Amino acid sequence: MDLMGMMGKLKATQQRIEETKKRMDTILIDEQSADGQLKVTLTANNKIKSVEISNSLLEDKEQLEDYLIVVMNKAIEKATKVNQLELDAVAKIDMPMIPGMENMFK
């Protein structure tokens, strides 16, 4: 086993993972309520970029709170999936197979 070569490859993989994490800040995920009254945009790193609320929702605090919870959770779920897929792709392409670590990136 070429330990120096493997260490170099691990370092390169780590750098690609960091670059991918930075790129996630530029990937935008849009989600909205079924009726379109609430829209949320966040990055694949789960950073909220914008929230749009229709005026009619402003009149019903409880409904607005419910909408925010549902829509934000959907958006976070989507963003998390995108993030994980991107990072998994980098790890699977670049990671050398080290015995006993096959399940590390699943």
Side-chain angles (χ1 to χ4, degrees):
M1 183 177 350
D2 174 15
L3 193 55
M4 291 305 288
M6 196 181 325
M7 293 303 287
K9 192 163 186 167
L10 283 171
K11 190 168 187 160
T13 299
Q14 192 173 23
Q15 185 175 349
R16 280 192 199 79
I17 288 171
E18 290 306 312
E19 289 167 0
T20 301
K21 286 180 180 179
K22 285 180 188 170
R23 191 169 50 82
M24 294 295 162
D25 283 329
T26 67
I27 297 174
L28 298 179
I29 310 296
D30 295 313
E31 187 58 58
Q32 66 179 14
S33 59
D35 60 9
Q37 291 192 71
L38 179 83
K39 296 178 184 175
V40 173
T41 301
L42 63 152
T43 70
N45 279 331
N46 292 330
K47 301 279 189 260
I48 299 169
K49 296 303 255 181
S50 70
V51 177
E52 293 177 37
I53 302 169
S54 76
N55 287 337
S56 62
L57 275 179
L58 296 177
E59 298 165 12
D60 187 341
K61 181 181 183 293
E62 195 172 305
Q63 185 181 12
L64 174 57
E65 290 169 346
D66 290 344
Y67 270 51
L68 280 167
I69 290 168
V70 170
V71 175
M72 293 299 286
N73 281 332
K74 281 185 184 177
I76 289 168
E77 188 177 316
K78 279 185 181 179
T80 301
K81 282 181 184 175
V82 169
N83 189 300
Q84 193 61 52
L85 286 171
E86 292 286 330
L87 291 176
D88 283 352
V90 171
K92 285 178 184 172
I93 290 169
D94 292 331
M95 283 299 291
M97 278 303 120
I98 300 170
M101 296 186 76
E102 298 87 10
N103 296 321
M104 190 171 157
F105 294 101
K106 288 185 179 177

